Amino acid sequence: MIKKILSFEEILKGCVKNDNGCKEMMYKSFYGYLMGIILRYTKNIADSEELVNDSFIKIFKNISSYKSPQNTEELHKSFKGWIAQIASRTAIDKLRSSKAQFYVDDLSEEEHPASPVSIVSELHVNDIMKLLNHLPDTQRLVFNLYEVEGFSHDEISKMLTIPESSSRVYLTRAKNKLRTLYLSTMVHSYEKNG
């Protein structure tokens, strides 16, 4: 029996119809992509795998509510954005439930003013991921939401139930810590290679 190669649009339609073959193709196609998103929020591989699977459960449950763009050439990109949002929110929900509450440890912008911090753009993605894993959980979460996912401080404050000013302070602290980690990594690599 010759299997027909399905287009992404056909796979998507099959998932809407609850076709297990299409769901399997979708899962295999996007597992790595969603794992990459989830790993920005959690350090534990077992938790990450569970969160990716939880994300797929939500994706398949809500796939009929996905609104396809008019232009089919944008379909793949649009769908990736939709599932990325589900995955990041799934990870945030898990973090929120595992930490009964985010601690706003006397954060005030006066003491820790939000300052522009730039990180050298020659970093490789793997280097950035390693550096992010050294951040405290809340700082890593706020950094991901603001810098990577593009949420505003207002949206972050609502998601995490923290004051908007705390979101800014966590972001500043994260950037400052990343700068320190980056510089120490560069010094060590210079010493090894020098």
Side-chain angles (χ1 to χ4, degrees):
M1 185 175 129
I2 299 172
K3 282 193 167 185
K4 180 184 174 215
I5 297 175
L6 299 175
S7 71
F8 175 69
E9 192 173 2
E10 291 169 318
I11 293 170
L12 187 57
K13 285 177 183 172
C15 289
V16 171
K17 292 177 184 166
N18 206 24
D19 178 280
N20 286 332
C22 289
K23 287 165 102 175
E24 182 181 351
M25 285 186 255
M26 181 75 71
Y27 182 87
K28 288 178 178 176
S29 297
F30 291 103
Y31 182 90
Y33 174 68
L34 291 186
M35 179 61 82
I37 290 167
I38 298 289
L39 282 171
R40 292 196 302 247
Y41 294 95
T42 178
K43 299 175 196 174
N44 182 317
I45 293 294
D47 285 349
S48 299
E49 290 170 348
E50 183 182 330
L51 288 168
V52 169
N53 288 328
D54 289 350
S55 297
F56 273 108
I57 289 168
K58 290 178 184 177
I59 289 164
F60 292 136
K61 183 179 176 186
N62 297 297
I63 200 157
S64 60
S65 69
Y66 168 70
K67 302 282 184 249
S68 300
Q70 296 293 327
N71 180 354
T72 55
E73 293 168 13
E74 296 288 318
L75 180 63
H76 196 262
K77 183 179 176 183
S78 166
F79 185 75
K80 280 178 81 173
W82 184 72
I83 64 173
Q85 195 169 44
I86 290 172
S88 61
R89 289 185 188 270
T90 302
I92 291 165
D93 290 345
K94 170 76 172 173
L95 287 169
R96 199 178 330 172
S97 67
S98 65
K99 301 211 182 310
Q101 184 179 5
F102 288 98
Y103 293 101
V104 182
D105 51 357
D106 300 324
L107 297 176
S108 76
E109 286 190 270
E110 293 75 41
E111 292 173 35
H112 305 280
S115 58
V117 179
S118 64
I119 296 177
V120 178
S121 59
E122 283 87 42
L123 279 177
H124 290 13
V125 171
N126 290 341
D127 297 329
I128 292 170
M129 292 304 295
K130 286 178 194 166
L131 293 177
L132 285 175
N133 284 334
H134 290 291
L135 291 176
D137 289 343
T138 308
Q139 289 179 21
R140 187 175 73 247
L141 182 58
V142 171
F143 182 87
N144 278 322
L145 289 170
Y146 187 83
E147 292 293 341
V148 180
E149 304 290 337
F151 288 104
S152 70
H153 287 295
D154 178 51
E155 292 169 313
I156 294 168
S157 75
K158 287 176 182 148
M159 273 188 252
L160 304 181
T161 58
I162 60 174
E164 194 174 328
S165 61
S166 296
S167 175
R168 285 192 188 89
V169 172
Y170 279 125
L171 179 65
T172 300
R173 286 183 179 180
K175 287 181 175 183
N176 287 333
K177 177 132 182 159
L178 284 172
R179 182 197 300 128
T180 303
L181 289 168
Y182 172 74
L183 291 173
S184 69
T185 303
M186 293 309 293
V187 167
H188 290 306
S189 107
Y190 178 77
E191 287 172 351
K192 275 196 275 186
N193 297 329

